[in-house]
Amino acid sequence: MADNPLKFDAAREERIRQRAYHLWETEGQPEGRAVEFWERAAELVGMEDSGLTGQIENPIAAGIDPTAPTNVEEAEIQQNLGEFPDRFADQGEWASTPKAKKGRKGRKAETVEPSKTA
């Protein structure tokens, strides 16, 4: 297996081709679905090549009771208020949103009377 899965590897491509062919035969040899079978085969070959990465050991096989209660760390809310001593700014130092601009005081809306024409 090549170290880089994006780099062309003739042996890997052959394995994908064979797997796609077997999937195609198993599905009844449908027409026009070659890309689908190739992608499914590439995914399966990729899983085979990755080994068992990302798999968690079965807790029962390891002798661990999965129904046993787990210890949860006590939250220390009083000591940790979200303030960080190495930060200059804190939530209380300035407003998080800009203040609205104050309008002119004492200005009233003017009413305009329609002009009378005689």
Side-chain angles (χ1 to χ4, degrees):
M1 177 184 130
D3 293 334
N4 185 354
L6 300 176
K7 194 172 184 180
F8 180 76
D9 183 11
R12 184 174 188 275
E13 292 293 316
E14 180 61 24
R15 288 176 49 217
I16 292 172
R17 188 190 65 74
Q18 289 176 358
R19 177 63 63 93
Y21 179 76
H22 290 297
L23 289 171
W24 176 71
E25 280 187 330
T26 304
E27 293 281 327
Q29 302 175 352
E31 294 293 325
R33 293 174 48 195
V35 174
E36 175 190 343
F37 289 113
W38 185 270
E39 289 175 351
R40 284 173 50 193
E43 187 72 25
L44 291 171
V45 169
M47 286 184 214
E48 290 173 355
D49 290 345
S50 69
L52 300 177
T53 56
Q55 293 188 356
I56 301 173
E57 184 179 6
N58 185 349
I60 296 173
I64 301 170
D65 182 13
T67 60
T70 57
N71 294 335
V72 178
E73 183 178 335
E74 185 66 29
E76 295 182 10
I77 295 174
Q78 297 303 319
Q79 286 82 19
N80 182 6
L81 298 176
E83 298 176 1
F84 301 99
D86 63 332
R87 304 287 196 280
F88 179 70
D90 190 6
Q91 294 174 352
E93 292 186 21
W94 64 75
S96 60
T97 58
K99 293 182 180 179
K101 293 183 179 179
K102 295 181 181 179
R104 296 183 205 161
K105 291 186 179 181
R107 184 176 176 195
K108 294 183 180 178
E110 299 177 16
T111 57
V112 178
E113 294 183 23
S115 63
K116 296 180 183 178
T117 56

